[in-house]
Amino acid sequence: MKEYVTDKLRNVALVGHQGAGKTTLVEALLYNTGAINRIGRVEEKNTVSDWDEDEKERGLSLSTSLIPLEFEDHKINILDAPGMTDFQGEIKNAIRVADSVIVVVDAVSGVEVGTELAWEYAQVYQQPIIVTINKMDRENADFNRTLDSLKQSFPDYKFIPVMLPIGAESNFKGVINLLTMKAYYDAGKDRSEMPADMKDEAEAARTVLVEAAAEADDAFIEKYFSEGTLTNEEIRDGMRKAARDAYLKTVPVFVTSGAKNVGTIPLMEALIVYVGPPSQRRVTVITPSGEREFLTAPQSDDGPLATYVFKTTNDRFVGTLNYFRIFSGNVHSGQTYYNSVRGVEEKLNSLLVLRGKEQMPVTVLHAGDIGVVAKLNNTKTGDSFATKSNPLQVTKPDFPDPLYAVAVLPRTQADSTKMGTVLTNLAQADPTLRWRQDPDVKQTIVEGMGEAHVNLAISRAHHLGVGMDIEMPRVPYKETITRQHSDFHRHKKQSGGAGQFGEVHLRLEPNPGGGFVFETKIVGGSISSNFFPSIEKGINSVLSEGVVAGYPVVDVKAVVFDGKMHPVDSKDIAFQIAGREAFKKVFAEAGPMLMEPVMDVKITVPESMMGDIVSDLNTRRGRVQGMDTQGLRSIVSAQVPYSEMMRYGNDLRSMTGARGIYTMTFSHYDTVPAHLAQVIIAAHKKTEVEED
Ligand SMILES: Nc1nc2c(ncn2[C@@H]2O[C@H](COP(=O)(O)OP(=O)(O)OP(=O)(O)O)[C@@H](O)[C@H]2O)c(=O)[nH]1
Ligand SMILES: [Mg+2]
């Protein structure tokens, strides 16, 4: 691939609701630039962007693909992001490294939950937004209704059509360019006079465009008020200024059909005009002294090297690929750079540009460009390449807490030895995926943003040679007591051979928020202090095992206040056992109770569905904390026990027709209601009996 300098580059994240047609649109754009000679289809599993086997199998994008387009002497790096909200980590990282965002909206269904999520992320990074109303060829496609749903959903933004559709549904033939007031049929190479019956509509829309262009520049607004119009160049410049400045919240609106390849060339031309070159990008870096500061524009090859690794793939055959964006400075193949996050040097032997899975070696990448390097050993998603003398780090996005967890069991001995490494690699490649050995529930937990996300990780681990079965994770309950109680246990084994004797008198007291405390208040030396550690050790062995339901014990104060010894038979093990058994006995009589994790949950749904969501939360022992509205959506905040939320994603999808989204973070532990605690305790007793 040809070498492109900074001002000839454009970086655009293609985002939007699942199935809005992003990947198919990319096919049309690639076809228009001659990069492919046939438009692939998702159904035929032959698109450039959805090249991964798992994507082909599922018929949707699961991770962001890098698709460089060469057009009008520019290179436009398209980042085709998944729409499914399970893969919000990929969406967020794509938006993080782009310089503008194209939001693709389905002309039939309008704004959906995936549209809003992408919009929210674009706002986080103050990214200028362009919209294309896509799938205009579909039955019931409606440009104006979709435009209205955008205006209602994002009331702070000005939506300015720069193209109008000619026809709709199966009659969608082309677009009217409101700047040139010409008709562009099919992809847009074929231009002619606009249909007469659209003149009035086009004139009215053009007025809106001219006013938006005028408002973006003081000189233009003055001219507009005095002369009532602007030249096409002034309109273009005004709109360029408006479109490139996120603070102006002016959104140029296009109309396309990726599948029919209609209206696509005007969109591509817009990417050069309305998307700013990377040199204009402001980015936050962490300096070697730990300060956060802006790397102020213009970004150039002469600037300090600052890059961000936004994606990593592990493939059994290709090995590791790290995708990175250069914010400042440049990168040469074969040179050694400094991974400023891990503090190690990395030699970038194999510098590449990728188009889907196609690898194109390059010798240099200039400031602003997006590239890939193969076969590095230490570099992970979120890292930065810099120079050792100035080890700048580009700040990482904050990623949401996981929403969906499974427990995994390795199938074979070989699998269990490899499992840790493979899960670590997958988690390091994907900032929204996590795994851990959880000692409290004695399970290996893999968690992510949803069922599809976690299942994909399991299937990828499988591709990497580790077979795993999954089961429901246990809820990390805790056990504690509600009242003080005292009792004693005598451990006596004196039937031939070495005897054992130890008697411990123990008082347990609730110790809310204080953790476990062990004290001895022995008077008169009834137990030698040598045996105090034995008693504590015995008790500690119960703390992780639990007493009534097999969950860790917390917030209990144990006071040994009396006891008995035997001159010969009292020994470490005897007092360990006496301590342990005394603890269990007293605990069971001290009003034992279970504590459960309670989550802070924020659920965003269309206003009309809020009632259903609230009543459903009531059936989950949820406590609504507040309600808010944003555009056409309601946001319900509630506190809900974790046990009621473990498969909430699936339930929310079916309750709202995939039109709801939620976040969930741990809040605190609270008492499990007695009737539920009994069920949990009984279940534990049953498994104990079965295991005996
Ligand atoms: N009628 C019509 N169908 C389209 C168009 N674009 C895509 N489709 C169909 O819509 C479905 C989804 O298309 P994709 O291109 O995979 O959509 P996407 O936005 O990339 O989906 P995700 O990657 O899952 O977010 C497929 O069945 C396509 O064939 C279009 O312009 N018109
Ligand atoms: Mg896709």
PDB file of all heavy atoms in Angstrom, residues 647-674:
ATOM      1  N   ARG A 647     -28.681 -13.129  35.121  1.00  0.00           N
ATOM      2  CA  ARG A 647     -29.028 -13.328  33.710  1.00  0.00           C
ATOM      3  C   ARG A 647     -29.951 -12.207  33.238  1.00  0.00           C
ATOM      4  O   ARG A 647     -30.801 -12.403  32.365  1.00  0.00           O
ATOM      5  CB  ARG A 647     -29.670 -14.700  33.529  1.00  0.00           C
ATOM      6  CG  ARG A 647     -28.692 -15.862  33.747  1.00  0.00           C
ATOM      7  CD  ARG A 647     -27.622 -15.869  32.692  1.00  0.00           C
ATOM      8  NE  ARG A 647     -26.532 -16.809  32.942  1.00  0.00           N
ATOM      9  CZ  ARG A 647     -25.351 -16.479  33.478  1.00  0.00           C
ATOM     10  NH1 ARG A 647     -25.133 -15.234  33.888  1.00  0.00           N
ATOM     11  NH2 ARG A 647     -24.410 -17.383  33.645  1.00  0.00           N
ATOM     12  N   TYR A 648     -29.772 -11.011  33.867  1.00  0.00           N
ATOM     13  CA  TYR A 648     -30.677  -9.896  33.562  1.00  0.00           C
ATOM     14  C   TYR A 648     -30.579  -9.459  32.104  1.00  0.00           C
ATOM     15  O   TYR A 648     -31.577  -9.073  31.483  1.00  0.00           O
ATOM     16  CB  TYR A 648     -30.388  -8.703  34.488  1.00  0.00           C
ATOM     17  CG  TYR A 648     -31.413  -7.602  34.382  1.00  0.00           C
ATOM     18  CD1 TYR A 648     -32.702  -7.784  34.865  1.00  0.00           C
ATOM     19  CD2 TYR A 648     -31.110  -6.400  33.763  1.00  0.00           C
ATOM     20  CE1 TYR A 648     -33.665  -6.796  34.747  1.00  0.00           C
ATOM     21  CE2 TYR A 648     -32.058  -5.392  33.637  1.00  0.00           C
ATOM     22  CZ  TYR A 648     -33.341  -5.600  34.144  1.00  0.00           C
ATOM     23  OH  TYR A 648     -34.281  -4.613  34.024  1.00  0.00           O
ATOM     24  N   GLY A 649     -29.378  -9.540  31.543  1.00  0.00           N
ATOM     25  CA  GLY A 649     -29.175  -9.099  30.155  1.00  0.00           C
ATOM     26  C   GLY A 649     -30.136  -9.798  29.206  1.00  0.00           C
ATOM     27  O   GLY A 649     -30.807  -9.155  28.384  1.00  0.00           O
ATOM     28  N   ASN A 650     -30.228 -11.097  29.357  1.00  0.00           N
ATOM     29  CA  ASN A 650     -31.138 -11.864  28.485  1.00  0.00           C
ATOM     30  C   ASN A 650     -32.589 -11.465  28.738  1.00  0.00           C
ATOM     31  O   ASN A 650     -33.372 -11.285  27.803  1.00  0.00           O
ATOM     32  CB  ASN A 650     -30.964 -13.370  28.741  1.00  0.00           C
ATOM     33  CG  ASN A 650     -29.524 -13.794  28.465  1.00  0.00           C
ATOM     34  OD1 ASN A 650     -28.747 -13.031  27.888  1.00  0.00           O
ATOM     35  ND2 ASN A 650     -29.171 -14.980  28.907  1.00  0.00           N
ATOM     36  N   ASP A 651     -32.942 -11.297  30.017  1.00  0.00           N
ATOM     37  CA  ASP A 651     -34.329 -10.941  30.345  1.00  0.00           C
ATOM     38  C   ASP A 651     -34.664  -9.552  29.807  1.00  0.00           C
ATOM     39  O   ASP A 651     -35.742  -9.336  29.236  1.00  0.00           O
ATOM     40  CB  ASP A 651     -34.544 -10.976  31.873  1.00  0.00           C
ATOM     41  CG  ASP A 651     -34.249 -12.362  32.441  1.00  0.00           C
ATOM     42  OD1 ASP A 651     -34.241 -13.322  31.647  1.00  0.00           O
ATOM     43  OD2 ASP A 651     -33.973 -12.461  33.652  1.00  0.00           O
ATOM     44  N   LEU A 652     -33.705  -8.625  29.973  1.00  0.00           N
ATOM     45  CA  LEU A 652     -33.955  -7.254  29.494  1.00  0.00           C
ATOM     46  C   LEU A 652     -34.145  -7.263  27.978  1.00  0.00           C
ATOM     47  O   LEU A 652     -35.039  -6.595  27.444  1.00  0.00           O
ATOM     48  CB  LEU A 652     -32.781  -6.346  29.870  1.00  0.00           C
ATOM     49  CG  LEU A 652     -32.922  -4.871  29.521  1.00  0.00           C
ATOM     50  CD1 LEU A 652     -34.054  -4.221  30.299  1.00  0.00           C
ATOM     51  CD2 LEU A 652     -31.614  -4.112  29.760  1.00  0.00           C
ATOM     52  N   ARG A 653     -33.305  -8.073  27.277  1.00  0.00           N
ATOM     53  CA  ARG A 653     -33.423  -8.147  25.826  1.00  0.00           C
ATOM     54  C   ARG A 653     -34.812  -8.642  25.442  1.00  0.00           C
ATOM     55  O   ARG A 653     -35.468  -8.073  24.579  1.00  0.00           O
ATOM     56  CB  ARG A 653     -32.343  -9.071  25.245  1.00  0.00           C
ATOM     57  CG  ARG A 653     -32.257  -8.988  23.724  1.00  0.00           C
ATOM     58  CD  ARG A 653     -31.032  -9.636  23.113  1.00  0.00           C
ATOM     59  NE  ARG A 653     -29.821  -8.989  23.598  1.00  0.00           N
ATOM     60  CZ  ARG A 653     -28.845  -9.639  24.222  1.00  0.00           C
ATOM     61  NH1 ARG A 653     -28.959 -10.922  24.434  1.00  0.00           N
ATOM     62  NH2 ARG A 653     -27.782  -9.025  24.662  1.00  0.00           N
ATOM     63  N   SER A 654     -35.319  -9.673  26.157  1.00  0.00           N
ATOM     64  CA  SER A 654     -36.642 -10.172  25.748  1.00  0.00           C
ATOM     65  C   SER A 654     -37.749  -9.228  26.221  1.00  0.00           C
ATOM     66  O   SER A 654     -38.740  -9.056  25.524  1.00  0.00           O
ATOM     67  CB  SER A 654     -36.874 -11.596  26.241  1.00  0.00           C
ATOM     68  OG  SER A 654     -36.580 -11.673  27.602  1.00  0.00           O
ATOM     69  N   MET A 655     -37.565  -8.560  27.353  1.00  0.00           N
ATOM     70  CA  MET A 655     -38.613  -7.631  27.807  1.00  0.00           C
ATOM     71  C   MET A 655     -38.734  -6.422  26.891  1.00  0.00           C
ATOM     72  O   MET A 655     -39.803  -5.878  26.680  1.00  0.00           O
ATOM     73  CB  MET A 655     -38.271  -7.111  29.219  1.00  0.00           C
ATOM     74  CG  MET A 655     -38.687  -7.997  30.358  1.00  0.00           C
ATOM     75  SD  MET A 655     -38.511  -7.135  31.929  1.00  0.00           S
ATOM     76  CE  MET A 655     -36.720  -7.207  32.151  1.00  0.00           C
ATOM     77  N   THR A 656     -37.571  -5.996  26.346  1.00  0.00           N
ATOM     78  CA  THR A 656     -37.602  -4.726  25.591  1.00  0.00           C
ATOM     79  C   THR A 656     -37.353  -4.906  24.104  1.00  0.00           C
ATOM     80  O   THR A 656     -37.167  -3.928  23.384  1.00  0.00           O
ATOM     81  CB  THR A 656     -36.504  -3.779  26.136  1.00  0.00           C
ATOM     82  OG1 THR A 656     -35.236  -4.412  25.856  1.00  0.00           O
ATOM     83  CG2 THR A 656     -36.645  -3.533  27.614  1.00  0.00           C
ATOM     84  N   GLY A 657     -37.276  -6.172  23.645  1.00  0.00           N
ATOM     85  CA  GLY A 657     -36.978  -6.371  22.216  1.00  0.00           C
ATOM     86  C   GLY A 657     -35.613  -5.795  21.886  1.00  0.00           C
ATOM     87  O   GLY A 657     -35.459  -5.096  20.879  1.00  0.00           O
ATOM     88  N   ALA A 658     -34.648  -6.031  22.733  1.00  0.00           N
ATOM     89  CA  ALA A 658     -33.257  -5.554  22.572  1.00  0.00           C
ATOM     90  C   ALA A 658     -33.208  -4.034  22.486  1.00  0.00           C
ATOM     91  O   ALA A 658     -32.336  -3.466  21.836  1.00  0.00           O
ATOM     92  CB  ALA A 658     -32.615  -6.185  21.329  1.00  0.00           C
ATOM     93  N   ARG A 659     -34.156  -3.344  23.155  1.00  0.00           N
ATOM     94  CA  ARG A 659     -34.139  -1.881  23.117  1.00  0.00           C
ATOM     95  C   ARG A 659     -33.733  -1.297  24.459  1.00  0.00           C
ATOM     96  O   ARG A 659     -33.871  -0.098  24.705  1.00  0.00           O
ATOM     97  CB  ARG A 659     -35.504  -1.350  22.668  1.00  0.00           C
ATOM     98  CG  ARG A 659     -35.886  -1.925  21.307  1.00  0.00           C
ATOM     99  CD  ARG A 659     -37.137  -1.356  20.751  1.00  0.00           C
ATOM    100  NE  ARG A 659     -36.983   0.076  20.546  1.00  0.00           N
ATOM    101  CZ  ARG A 659     -38.013   0.921  20.556  1.00  0.00           C
ATOM    102  NH1 ARG A 659     -39.227   0.458  20.793  1.00  0.00           N
ATOM    103  NH2 ARG A 659     -37.828   2.205  20.379  1.00  0.00           N
ATOM    104  N   GLY A 660     -33.227  -2.163  25.373  1.00  0.00           N
ATOM    105  CA  GLY A 660     -32.787  -1.669  26.682  1.00  0.00           C
ATOM    106  C   GLY A 660     -31.313  -1.957  26.890  1.00  0.00           C
ATOM    107  O   GLY A 660     -30.738  -2.817  26.226  1.00  0.00           O
ATOM    108  N   ILE A 661     -30.697  -1.188  27.774  1.00  0.00           N
ATOM    109  CA  ILE A 661     -29.287  -1.416  28.097  1.00  0.00           C
ATOM    110  C   ILE A 661     -29.106  -1.099  29.573  1.00  0.00           C
ATOM    111  O   ILE A 661     -29.908  -0.355  30.136  1.00  0.00           O
ATOM    112  CB  ILE A 661     -28.389  -0.534  27.205  1.00  0.00           C
ATOM    113  CG1 ILE A 661     -26.944  -1.017  27.278  1.00  0.00           C
ATOM    114  CG2 ILE A 661     -28.496   0.936  27.562  1.00  0.00           C
ATOM    115  CD1 ILE A 661     -26.119  -0.511  26.123  1.00  0.00           C
ATOM    116  N   TYR A 662     -28.117  -1.723  30.189  1.00  0.00           N
ATOM    117  CA  TYR A 662     -27.959  -1.442  31.617  1.00  0.00           C
ATOM    118  C   TYR A 662     -26.503  -1.508  32.017  1.00  0.00           C
ATOM    119  O   TYR A 662     -25.670  -2.077  31.299  1.00  0.00           O
ATOM    120  CB  TYR A 662     -28.795  -2.428  32.444  1.00  0.00           C
ATOM    121  CG  TYR A 662     -28.268  -3.838  32.503  1.00  0.00           C
ATOM    122  CD1 TYR A 662     -27.781  -4.374  33.691  1.00  0.00           C
ATOM    123  CD2 TYR A 662     -28.275  -4.655  31.366  1.00  0.00           C
ATOM    124  CE1 TYR A 662     -27.316  -5.678  33.762  1.00  0.00           C
ATOM    125  CE2 TYR A 662     -27.797  -5.951  31.411  1.00  0.00           C
ATOM    126  CZ  TYR A 662     -27.324  -6.464  32.620  1.00  0.00           C
ATOM    127  OH  TYR A 662     -26.844  -7.747  32.665  1.00  0.00           O
ATOM    128  N   THR A 663     -26.217  -0.890  33.149  1.00  0.00           N
ATOM    129  CA  THR A 663     -24.890  -1.037  33.743  1.00  0.00           C
ATOM    130  C   THR A 663     -25.117  -1.576  35.145  1.00  0.00           C
ATOM    131  O   THR A 663     -26.202  -1.436  35.720  1.00  0.00           O
ATOM    132  CB  THR A 663     -24.160   0.324  33.841  1.00  0.00           C
ATOM    133  OG1 THR A 663     -24.953   1.179  34.672  1.00  0.00           O
ATOM    134  CG2 THR A 663     -23.948   0.949  32.476  1.00  0.00           C
ATOM    135  N   MET A 664     -24.074  -2.207  35.673  1.00  0.00           N
ATOM    136  CA  MET A 664     -24.215  -2.813  37.007  1.00  0.00           C
ATOM    137  C   MET A 664     -22.867  -2.751  37.715  1.00  0.00           C
ATOM    138  O   MET A 664     -21.855  -3.151  37.148  1.00  0.00           O
ATOM    139  CB  MET A 664     -24.670  -4.269  36.835  1.00  0.00           C
ATOM    140  CG  MET A 664     -24.868  -5.042  38.115  1.00  0.00           C
ATOM    141  SD  MET A 664     -25.786  -6.576  37.823  1.00  0.00           S
ATOM    142  CE  MET A 664     -24.527  -7.638  37.138  1.00  0.00           C
ATOM    143  N   THR A 665     -22.875  -2.200  38.937  1.00  0.00           N
ATOM    144  CA  THR A 665     -21.632  -2.194  39.718  1.00  0.00           C
ATOM    145  C   THR A 665     -21.968  -2.630  41.137  1.00  0.00           C
ATOM    146  O   THR A 665     -23.077  -2.394  41.617  1.00  0.00           O
ATOM    147  CB  THR A 665     -21.015  -0.779  39.778  1.00  0.00           C
ATOM    148  OG1 THR A 665     -22.076   0.122  40.111  1.00  0.00           O
ATOM    149  CG2 THR A 665     -20.400  -0.364  38.476  1.00  0.00           C
ATOM    150  N   PHE A 666     -20.980  -3.263  41.785  1.00  0.00           N
ATOM    151  CA  PHE A 666     -21.201  -3.738  43.151  1.00  0.00           C
ATOM    152  C   PHE A 666     -21.439  -2.549  44.081  1.00  0.00           C
ATOM    153  O   PHE A 666     -20.758  -1.525  43.984  1.00  0.00           O
ATOM    154  CB  PHE A 666     -19.986  -4.537  43.649  1.00  0.00           C
ATOM    155  CG  PHE A 666     -20.056  -4.857  45.123  1.00  0.00           C
ATOM    156  CD1 PHE A 666     -20.937  -5.823  45.596  1.00  0.00           C
ATOM    157  CD2 PHE A 666     -19.275  -4.157  46.042  1.00  0.00           C
ATOM    158  CE1 PHE A 666     -21.036  -6.093  46.968  1.00  0.00           C
ATOM    159  CE2 PHE A 666     -19.364  -4.424  47.402  1.00  0.00           C
ATOM    160  CZ  PHE A 666     -20.242  -5.389  47.863  1.00  0.00           C
ATOM    161  N   SER A 667     -22.427  -2.681  44.984  1.00  0.00           N
ATOM    162  CA  SER A 667     -22.686  -1.589  45.941  1.00  0.00           C
ATOM    163  C   SER A 667     -22.317  -2.010  47.355  1.00  0.00           C
ATOM    164  O   SER A 667     -21.371  -1.489  47.948  1.00  0.00           O
ATOM    165  CB  SER A 667     -24.173  -1.193  45.893  1.00  0.00           C
ATOM    166  OG  SER A 667     -24.494  -0.450  47.059  1.00  0.00           O
ATOM    167  N   HIS A 668     -23.006  -3.005  47.914  1.00  0.00           N
ATOM    168  CA  HIS A 668     -22.728  -3.386  49.307  1.00  0.00           C
ATOM    169  C   HIS A 668     -23.289  -4.778  49.563  1.00  0.00           C
ATOM    170  O   HIS A 668     -23.908  -5.376  48.685  1.00  0.00           O
ATOM    171  CB  HIS A 668     -23.404  -2.376  50.241  1.00  0.00           C
ATOM    172  CG  HIS A 668     -24.892  -2.382  50.116  1.00  0.00           C
ATOM    173  ND1 HIS A 668     -25.565  -1.763  49.080  1.00  0.00           N
ATOM    174  CD2 HIS A 668     -25.862  -2.987  50.856  1.00  0.00           C
ATOM    175  CE1 HIS A 668     -26.876  -1.954  49.217  1.00  0.00           C
ATOM    176  NE2 HIS A 668     -27.084  -2.705  50.279  1.00  0.00           N
ATOM    177  N   TYR A 669     -23.048  -5.294  50.754  1.00  0.00           N
ATOM    178  CA  TYR A 669     -23.650  -6.569  51.181  1.00  0.00           C
ATOM    179  C   TYR A 669     -24.849  -6.271  52.061  1.00  0.00           C
ATOM    180  O   TYR A 669     -24.844  -5.295  52.817  1.00  0.00           O
ATOM    181  CB  TYR A 669     -22.617  -7.428  51.923  1.00  0.00           C
ATOM    182  CG  TYR A 669     -21.916  -8.421  51.017  1.00  0.00           C
ATOM    183  CD1 TYR A 669     -20.843  -8.035  50.236  1.00  0.00           C
ATOM    184  CD2 TYR A 669     -22.368  -9.727  50.897  1.00  0.00           C
ATOM    185  CE1 TYR A 669     -20.222  -8.926  49.377  1.00  0.00           C
ATOM    186  CE2 TYR A 669     -21.758 -10.634  50.040  1.00  0.00           C
ATOM    187  CZ  TYR A 669     -20.682 -10.233  49.293  1.00  0.00           C
ATOM    188  OH  TYR A 669     -20.076 -11.120  48.437  1.00  0.00           O
ATOM    189  N   ASP A 670     -25.881  -7.114  51.928  1.00  0.00           N
ATOM    190  CA  ASP A 670     -27.085  -6.924  52.736  1.00  0.00           C
ATOM    191  C   ASP A 670     -27.633  -8.288  53.142  1.00  0.00           C
ATOM    192  O   ASP A 670     -27.285  -9.307  52.543  1.00  0.00           O
ATOM    193  CB  ASP A 670     -28.138  -6.164  51.914  1.00  0.00           C
ATOM    194  CG  ASP A 670     -29.171  -5.494  52.813  1.00  0.00           C
ATOM    195  OD1 ASP A 670     -29.146  -5.771  54.036  1.00  0.00           O
ATOM    196  OD2 ASP A 670     -29.980  -4.711  52.289  1.00  0.00           O
ATOM    197  N   THR A 671     -28.501  -8.297  54.131  1.00  0.00           N
ATOM    198  CA  THR A 671     -29.034  -9.551  54.660  1.00  0.00           C
ATOM    199  C   THR A 671     -29.900 -10.275  53.635  1.00  0.00           C
ATOM    200  O   THR A 671     -30.725  -9.639  52.971  1.00  0.00           O
ATOM    201  CB  THR A 671     -29.903  -9.245  55.893  1.00  0.00           C
ATOM    202  OG1 THR A 671     -29.173  -8.346  56.717  1.00  0.00           O
ATOM    203  CG2 THR A 671     -30.246 -10.492  56.661  1.00  0.00           C
ATOM    204  N   VAL A 672     -29.728 -11.574  53.510  1.00  0.00           N
ATOM    205  CA  VAL A 672     -30.611 -12.382  52.671  1.00  0.00           C
ATOM    206  C   VAL A 672     -31.889 -12.644  53.468  1.00  0.00           C
ATOM    207  O   VAL A 672     -31.811 -13.078  54.622  1.00  0.00           O
ATOM    208  CB  VAL A 672     -29.949 -13.730  52.307  1.00  0.00           C
ATOM    209  CG1 VAL A 672     -30.906 -14.604  51.514  1.00  0.00           C
ATOM    210  CG2 VAL A 672     -28.656 -13.505  51.533  1.00  0.00           C
ATOM    211  N   PRO A 673     -33.072 -12.375  52.903  1.00  0.00           N
ATOM    212  CA  PRO A 673     -34.308 -12.636  53.659  1.00  0.00           C
ATOM    213  C   PRO A 673     -34.344 -14.081  54.157  1.00  0.00           C
ATOM    214  O   PRO A 673     -33.908 -14.998  53.434  1.00  0.00           O
ATOM    215  CB  PRO A 673     -35.406 -12.374  52.640  1.00  0.00           C
ATOM    216  CG  PRO A 673     -34.782 -11.502  51.611  1.00  0.00           C
ATOM    217  CD  PRO A 673     -33.337 -11.862  51.565  1.00  0.00           C
ATOM    218  N   ALA A 674     -34.866 -14.271  55.376  1.00  0.00           N
ATOM    219  CA  ALA A 674     -34.817 -15.585  56.043  1.00  0.00           C
ATOM    220  C   ALA A 674     -35.369 -16.699  55.163  1.00  0.00           C
ATOM    221  O   ALA A 674     -34.747 -17.763  55.034  1.00  0.00           O
ATOM    222  CB  ALA A 674     -35.586 -15.508  57.350  1.00  0.00           C
TER     223      ALA A 674
END
